[in-house]
Amino acid sequence: MPLVSIIMPSWNVERFIEETIHSVQAQTFGDWELLIADDCSTDRTPAIIAEIGARDPRVKLIRMPRNGGPALARQASIDQAQGRYLAFLDSDDLWLPAKLERQLAFARDKRAALSYTAFRRIDEANTMSGRLIDVPAQLSYDQLLKNTSIATLTAVVDREISGPVAMTNEGYDDFCLWLSILKRGHIAYGLNEDLARYRVRGSSVSSRPMRSAKWVWNIYRNVEKLPLVKSAWCFGHWGARAWLKRREF
């Protein structure tokens, strides 16, 4: 199997970063590099990454020259990535051990430019909350405009199929990236298996619903350049799905 480059931004996550890295090290698929771009943390985050990297050379610390947000940090990791596959993981989330092995086999079988999986939410104490967030079998560009199914920690991109991968420096930069790939005519494929843990924190970048809604509207109008009526139609569907996804039952 080709190398997998794991793209991770970090900022002031000393409470969680070690556990997150350990969830990568515990993968049953071992041919990976973990590129962590630290966005000028003021706590021990860079030191923890460096200490682990000294013991495991697959873990690589990239120091950002200035605080610029997750999109620029992700791009810094992508710029140094050597792998055919790009897997995305935020610095407070977790993977289950078979995540890469199962998803890579699935992506190869589907010849997927972009694939994603189901996941469950956890809180800051690692307690699971709510239901399994399951995913549709596939998504086109037009379907993704109205959907919230591709969570960053579950996404894998095959660069040999997808074409160029570049972040857009906007809120929900990950959503912008998925759209840019699917806009080329690709289909994203979903593996409906529980393979990841998304950590819900009050201080996370995307934890405020109103701000998230503004970001999505901006993507429709100013990034994707959708007409007003189509933007409103997509936004209504996106909002309904986002509300259902946030419910805990």
Side-chain angles (χ1 to χ4, degrees), residues 11-13 15-16 70 74 90-93 121-124 172 198-212 215 246:
W11 183 73
N12 287 354
V13 283
R15 288 180 57 196
F16 306 110
R74 288 188 180 110
D90 284 345
S91 52
D92 55 354
D93 295 333
R121 291 169 292 200
I122 57 173
D123 62 19
E124 297 190 28
Y172 279 156
Y198 171 73
R199 193 181 303 277
V200 179
R201 291 198 293 147
S203 60
S204 65
V205 171
S206 59
S207 62
R208 301 173 189 172
M210 289 303 296
R211 182 169 61 179
S212 297
W215 286 348
R246 285 177 180 273

Side-chain angles (χ1 to χ4, degrees), residues 79-248:
D79 289 343
Q80 295 192 28
Q82 300 297 308
R84 168 178 167 175
Y85 293 96
L86 301 180
F88 293 80
L89 178 62
D90 284 345
S91 52
D92 55 354
D93 295 333
L94 304 172
W95 284 345
L96 273 62
K99 198 267 188 187
L100 284 181
E101 181 180 5
R102 293 288 301 126
Q103 189 169 1
L104 290 171
F106 173 80
R108 290 182 69 192
D109 181 63
K110 296 291 187 181
R111 286 200 50 78
L114 172 62
S115 62
Y116 52 98
T117 78
F119 64 95
R120 292 184 186 273
R121 291 169 292 200
I122 57 173
D123 62 19
E124 297 190 28
N126 284 358
T127 302
M128 279 195 297
S129 59
R131 59 183 175 86
L132 175 69
I133 308 298
D134 55 15
V135 293
Q138 62 184 61
L139 289 167
S140 66
Y141 171 77
D142 283 333
Q143 289 170 325
L144 181 59
L145 285 169
K146 300 177 286 187
N147 207 291
T148 63
S149 288
I150 305 180
T152 307
L153 77 160
T154 76
V156 170
V157 175
D158 183 342
R159 292 200 283 187
E160 284 194 6
I161 300 174
S162 71
V165 176
M167 306 307 300
T168 302
N169 193 17
E170 299 280 355
Y172 279 156
D173 56 295
D174 51 348
F175 187 44
C176 292
L177 177 58
W178 319 146
L179 288 170
S180 74
I181 292 171
L182 299 191
K183 199 171 186 178
R184 300 167 191 161
H186 298 299
I187 298 294
Y189 290 93
L191 174 60
N192 201 28
E193 294 184 12
D194 180 14
L195 294 171
R197 296 288 178 265
Y198 171 73
R199 193 181 303 277
V200 179
R201 291 198 293 147
S203 60
S204 65
V205 171
S206 59
S207 62
R208 301 173 189 172
M210 289 303 296
R211 182 169 61 179
S212 297
K214 289 179 181 178
W215 286 348
V216 170
W217 183 256
N218 175 67
I219 290 169
Y220 290 155
R221 299 292 286 148
N222 299 319
V223 178
E224 298 303 307
K225 309 293 185 183
L226 300 182
L228 180 61
V229 172
K230 184 171 183 178
S231 296
W233 174 254
C234 292
F235 188 76
H237 285 273
W238 177 90
R241 287 189 169 96
W243 179 78
L244 286 172
K245 194 173 180 179
R246 285 177 180 273
R247 289 182 64 194
E248 295 189 4

Side-chain angles (χ1 to χ4, degrees), residues 39-53:
D39 203 18
C40 300
S41 292
T42 57
D43 63 4
R44 292 194 67 253
T45 299
I48 294 169
I49 298 166
E51 289 166 5
I52 297 173

